Amino acid sequence: MFIVISLKSQQTLTQINGWNAYVHLPANYNNTTISYPTIIFFPGLGEVGTNSSAVIANGPGAYITQGWNGNVVVDGNTVEFIIISLQPSAAYPNEVSINQKIQTIKSLYRVNNNKLYLTGLSHGGWCSTTFVTGDTYGGPYNYASQIAAVVEVEGVVPDDNSPYPNLFDNYALSGGKLLGFEQIYDGRGIPTRVNRMNATRPGSAIYVQTNFGNGGHCCWSEFYGGGGKQPGNFMLDGVNQNLYQWLA
């Protein structure tokens, strides 16, 4: 089910299979037939539910509200994203439920299926990494193969799917890439999954330790932008860039 509800800045509030979602489309979307790289964002635990404004309180939706047009420049080329901030109606949704929403998104928008990305903060990081480790160990990679890259920001440890962290082998072997940010005093076990992926497929994962604020569980705008801030630059794959540029 897809219902357009309202418009806020450069993103439209809709419902996708019963979940609130703010959707940003590239400026020329309606004048083209091309498919676009797509970012799906999941919020933190405090932003889960039915208060739609909460899903864009942080993350790319907050940056768009601040005026971002959803584009980045990489090597002189402009890359335009479809960006969907997706609000689970209840905490810790399972892979089947998330997959249903992803398939609906693919049916509604011109998603480049080779450039579909998941990201999220805290609980949203869990949603992202749990989805790509939702297949049986050794495959088939029905979930993992759909997602080109995951960016988790201080994510909840995704150990619900067993064996952990072995299931990250699936994501590495399916060609996926993981970028994990972890604050210095906010142990989230991200090195465990990064190291597991890199042991399986070298270069498939990146760990970035940060020390914003008090180094604890905080400071989302430092990564995503919003709240008067621009997204931070980090040394990623040898390039000083923000997470959107890395995805592009």
Side-chain angles (χ1 to χ4, degrees):
M1 182 175 67
F2 175 72
I3 304 171
V4 175
I5 300 173
S6 65
L7 184 68
K8 187 168 185 175
S9 185
Q10 299 178 65
Q11 49 196 339
T12 303
L13 175 61
T14 75
Q15 283 202 341
I16 296 175
N17 302 111
W19 290 7
N20 290 325
Y22 270 99
V23 178
H24 165 85
L25 298 176
N28 291 322
Y29 182 86
N30 292 327
N31 299 320
T32 70
T33 59
I34 66 173
S35 298
Y36 291 89
T38 300
I39 299 171
I40 299 175
F41 166 81
F42 298 98
L45 189 61
E47 290 81 54
V48 167
T50 58
N51 176 12
S52 61
S53 62
V55 76
I56 55 171
N58 299 296
Y63 190 30
I64 292 169
T65 298
Q66 184 174 297
W68 182 41
N69 64 1
N71 300 349
V72 296
V73 177
V74 178
D75 295 331
N77 298 311
T78 299
V79 178
E80 301 174 288
F81 288 108
I82 295 172
I83 301 170
I84 300 176
S85 299
L86 190 57
Q87 183 182 39
S89 56
Y92 299 106
N94 61 30
E95 298 87 356
V96 173
S97 181
I98 292 174
N99 190 51
Q100 179 190 42
K101 277 66 177 179
I102 290 175
Q103 300 317 309
T104 297
I105 288 168
K106 288 179 177 180
S107 72
L108 292 170
Y109 304 105
R110 296 197 307 275
V111 173
N112 183 332
N113 290 333
N114 295 318
K115 297 181 179 180
L116 177 58
Y117 311 116
L118 301 184
T119 186
L121 61 89
S122 193
H123 162 274
W126 177 94
C127 291
S128 302
T129 51
T130 297
F131 181 78
V132 297
T133 57
D135 300 302
T136 300
Y137 187 78
Y141 306 137
N142 295 319
Y143 296 133
S145 64
Q146 295 187 58
I147 308 303
V150 167
V151 177
E152 65 163 318
V153 179
E154 305 172 43
V156 173
V157 178
D159 57 2
D160 301 65
N161 291 330
S162 182
Y164 172 82
N166 308 49
L167 283 168
F168 279 85
D169 295 357
N170 287 356
Y171 189 46
L173 291 171
S174 73
K177 295 197 72 173
L178 172 67
L179 169 59
F181 293 101
E182 182 178 88
Q183 288 269 82
I184 190 170
Y185 300 124
D186 184 38
R188 296 278 150 173
I190 292 177
T192 297
R193 28 207 190 268
V194 166
N195 291 340
R196 182 80 194 195
M197 284 188 62
N198 283 331
T200 301
R201 186 169 68 90
S204 61
I206 300 172
Y207 171 64
V208 178
Q209 187 181 77
T210 57
N211 189 19
F212 297 115
N214 62 2
H217 199 58
C218 71
C219 310
W220 317 116
S221 60
E222 301 288 355
F223 305 94
Y224 290 109
K229 293 181 178 293
Q230 299 295 311
N233 284 350
F234 307 90
M235 191 58 64
L236 308 173
D237 285 331
V239 179
N240 189 37
Q241 56 188 331
N242 65 42
L243 65 85
Y244 306 110
Q245 291 170 312
W246 181 79
L247 289 174

